[in-house]
């Protein structure tokens, strides 16, 4: 992938001895002490606070050039620049505390870019409610996620205009346990790099990331420990009678694939199935989308990108106690001469028929085949799908919450808690027979869209629910959060990589689930 490789490591000497470009201290609002700062630094900080120019508010920054000031601070600090970054007010909510650290890490990365710093040392805070592992992990995530850039298709600039990117982030453990900080640093690095990989996939144009790229990336990932890859090509899909994937693909010149990655621990452990929508470009098909904004439809594969990135992360972390299977149905949705037409009837894997009302409601068609196949073959304890499925979820929730629909209270609770831990919030929407009736068809078992636009996000989930039976299942509609997610210091404009850290958190603390009664 294109994502720039940035070194992240521990610094085992006193922070004042750091001779790099930027030395950073994280400062809580209204708290006089700062981790591992000597008396001269504390006096300097007090003077800055007295001016009213900096008080430690969330993401507030104050830059100092030690060489321009007289006194003990100049003599002791060897770095070219000294940066104070605000953490905000103390808060007893552990989720807020985690996010304060990520935001501060993102602010550091942003400021480092502004001053063209290559080497950055961050002194980790202490007495911060969280343990050393989480402190190091959250700061590391903020630094690497905030440092993300995608400039693959830009010709490099020269001279003073040439961008300088951070080459090395260092963490000073201070009074925190070094072994714990190292563990948190490593986990934060893995999660951030996987999330940035998902961002890279989404940022690629439709002619740079095709269904074949999904397959190739999965094959490369399979070289990691415990991962195994299987690719179903068009002939395989025809033999399996996957009418959803094949139907959506009819208008494209590029062949479809069902990409399968398996993470195996022990056979006795339960299997969790992840399914991600891999629509590498969506024109809407015959029911064409309006031209304005259609360039963003290269992002319609963010669910598939998230699933690949999750598999990458769990293989590196080495989570225990569960097996995980990731499925990505990958295709384009174009309006070629053989494309699906409104009124056509397709037959999904397993035999269920569907009347096509709207060819732009294609994501549920490819997901349905993948869900039915994955449950039939792998017998998972639970299944979670991620998809940029409906514009309706943006109308309802904006770009701040991912829509969650589920047939399992236990699974919904686990996902919601995981999302809160990583600040990717989920909002649960209802399901039920009232909504299911909206996709009744006169000529087939179901139809792929309701007769009107009401409850569009929920009826899309109802379509998917037809293919999960009694398996605990959750659907995450990330159309509002996969790109243009709530603006933060560590989340860029464009693709966010949402879902990666949520699912890794959920899988890392998995709790067994019971089958559900899915009659509806």
């Amino acid at each position: 992938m294109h994502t720039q490789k940035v070194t992240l490591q521990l610094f085992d000497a006193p922070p004042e001895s750091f001779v790099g470009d930027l030395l950073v201290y994280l400062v809580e609002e209204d708290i006089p002490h700062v981790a591992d700062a000597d008396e001269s630094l504390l006096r300097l900080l007090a003077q800055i606070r007295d001016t009213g120019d900096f008080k430690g508010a969330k993401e507030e920054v104050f830059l100092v050039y030690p060489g321009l000031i007289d006194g003990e601070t100049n003599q002791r600090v060897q770095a070219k620049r000294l940066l104070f970054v605000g953490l905000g007010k103390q808060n007893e909510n552990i989720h807020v505390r985690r996010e304060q650290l990520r935001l501060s890490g993102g602010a550091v990365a942003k400021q480092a870019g502004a001053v063209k710093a290559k080497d950055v040392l961050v002194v980790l805070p202490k007495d911060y409610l969280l343990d050393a592992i989480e402190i190091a992990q959250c700061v590391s995530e903020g630094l690497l996620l905030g440092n993300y850039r995608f400039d693959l298709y830009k010709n490099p600039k020269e001279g003073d205009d040439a961008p300088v990117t951070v080459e090395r982030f260092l963490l000073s453990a201070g009074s925190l346990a070094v072994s714990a900080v190292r563990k948190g640093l490593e986990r934060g690095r893995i999660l951030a790099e996987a999330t940035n990989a998902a961002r890279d996939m989404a940022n690629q144009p439709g002619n740079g990331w095709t269904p074949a790229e999904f397959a190739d990336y999965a094959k490369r990932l399979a070289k990691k420990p415990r991962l195994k890859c299987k690719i179903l090509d068009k002939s395989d899909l025809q033999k399996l009678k996957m009418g959803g994937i094949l139907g959506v693909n009819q208008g494209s010149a590029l062949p479809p694939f069902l990409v399968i990655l398996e993470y195996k621990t022990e056979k006795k452990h339960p299997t969790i199935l992840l399914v991600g929508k891999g629509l590498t470009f969506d024109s809407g098909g015959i029911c064409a989308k309006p031209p304005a904004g259609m360039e963003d439809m290269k992002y319609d594969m963010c669910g598939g990108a998230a699933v690949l990135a999750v598999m990458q992360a769990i293989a590196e972390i080495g989570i225990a106690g569960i097996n995980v299977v990731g499925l990505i149905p990958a295709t384009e949705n174009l309006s070629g001469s053989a494309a699906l037409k409104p009124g056509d009837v397709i037959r999904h894997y397993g035999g269920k028929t569907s009347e096509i009302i709207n060819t732009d409601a294609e994501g549920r068609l490819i997901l349905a085949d993948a869900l039915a196949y994955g449950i039939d073959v792998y017998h998972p304890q639970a299944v979670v799908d991620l998809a940029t499925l409906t514009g309706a979820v943006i109308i309802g929730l904006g770009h701040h919450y991912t829509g969650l629909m589920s047939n399992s209270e236990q699974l919904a609770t686990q996902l919601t808690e995981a999302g809160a831990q990583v600040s990717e919030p989920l909002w649960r929407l209802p399901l039920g027979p009232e909504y299911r009736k909206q996709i009744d068809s006169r000529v087939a078992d179901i139809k792929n869209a309701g007769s009107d636009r009401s409850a569009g996000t929920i009826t899309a989930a109802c379509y998917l629910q037809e293919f999960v039976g009694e398996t605990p299942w959750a659907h995450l509609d990330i159309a509002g959060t996969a790109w243009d997610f709530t603006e933060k210091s560590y989340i860029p404009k464009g693709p966010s990589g949402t879902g990666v850290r949520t699912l890794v958190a959920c899988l890392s603390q998995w709790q067994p689930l019971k089958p559900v009664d899915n009659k509806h």
Side-chain angles (χ1 to χ4, degrees), residues 92-259:
E92 293 185 357
N93 185 320
I94 196 169
H95 299 325
V96 172
R97 297 297 260 177
R98 293 187 183 103
E99 183 67 352
Q100 286 175 322
L101 292 172
R102 293 188 201 98
L103 291 171
S104 68
V108 171
K110 185 177 181 180
Q111 191 66 33
V115 300
K116 298 187 176 182
K118 293 184 178 180
D119 293 290
V120 179
L121 171 61
V122 180
V123 181
L124 296 178
K126 61 181 179 180
D127 302 325
Y128 194 72
L129 184 64
L130 303 177
D131 62 29
I133 293 176
E134 285 202 294
I135 290 172
Q137 177 184 332
C138 292
V139 172
S140 298
E141 288 178 21
L143 291 171
L144 296 182
L145 292 173
N147 193 56
Y148 177 80
R149 304 287 185 277
F150 185 84
D151 55 8
L152 179 63
Y153 293 96
K154 290 187 176 182
N155 288 316
K157 295 181 179 180
E158 297 180 357
D160 293 338
D161 292 333
V164 175
T165 58
V166 175
E167 296 176 358
R168 185 173 61 151
F169 285 114
L170 300 137
L171 299 185
S172 174
S175 59
L176 300 175
V178 172
S179 60
V181 169
R182 183 176 285 110
K183 184 175 181 180
L185 178 155
E186 183 65 7
R187 187 178 179 94
R189 178 195 65 78
I190 291 169
L191 289 169
E193 288 183 355
T195 302
N196 284 339
R199 292 171 174 178
D200 273 355
M201 296 178 213
N203 268 314
Q204 286 275 10
N207 62 340
W209 191 265
T210 65
E213 262 70 38
F214 265 124
D216 291 342
Y217 193 78
K219 291 174 184 176
R220 293 195 296 272
L221 282 184
K223 297 177 183 178
K224 293 182 179 294
R226 295 181 176 177
L227 284 185
K228 177 183 176 183
C229 178
K230 180 180 181 181
I231 306 296
L232 300 184
D233 61 19
K234 187 172 183 178
S235 62
D236 297 321
L237 301 179
Q238 289 170 336
K239 291 174 184 176
L240 292 167
K241 299 181 179 179
M242 292 194 177
I245 300 174
L246 293 167
V248 173
N249 180 253
Q250 284 176 198
S252 172
L254 300 179
F257 297 96
L258 181 59
V259 178

Side-chain angles (χ1 to χ4, degrees), residues 190 227 263 274 309-319 324 503-504 507-508:
I190 291 169
L227 284 185
Y263 173 82
L274 306 178
V310 169
M311 301 303 289
Q312 172 180 320
I314 64 174
E316 291 190 39
I317 292 171
I319 63 170
V324 184
L503 286 179
V504 174
L507 294 170
S508 298

Side-chain angles (χ1 to χ4, degrees), residues 24-28 33-35 83-87 101 104-105 108 122-125 139:
V24 184
Y25 287 91
L26 306 181
V27 182
E28 292 197 78
H33 66 268
V34 178
L83 181 69
F84 296 109
V85 177
L87 287 164
L101 292 172
S104 68
V108 171
V122 180
V123 181
L124 296 178
V139 172

Side-chain angles (χ1 to χ4, degrees), residues 424-443:
E424 293 181 346
L426 312 177
W427 190 268
R428 192 174 181 186
L429 298 172
L431 290 168
E434 302 87 354
Y435 298 108
R436 167 59 182 80
K437 289 179 181 178
Q438 293 180 228
I439 58 170
D440 282 341
S441 169
R442 291 185 297 105
V443 299

Side-chain angles (χ1 to χ4, degrees), residues 4-24:
Q4 64 272 29
K5 289 293 183 182
V6 181
T7 301
L8 178 65
Q9 62 191 65
L10 280 175
F11 185 77
D12 57 5
E16 296 87 354
S17 67
F18 174 65
V19 295
D21 297 315
L22 191 63
L23 171 60
V24 184

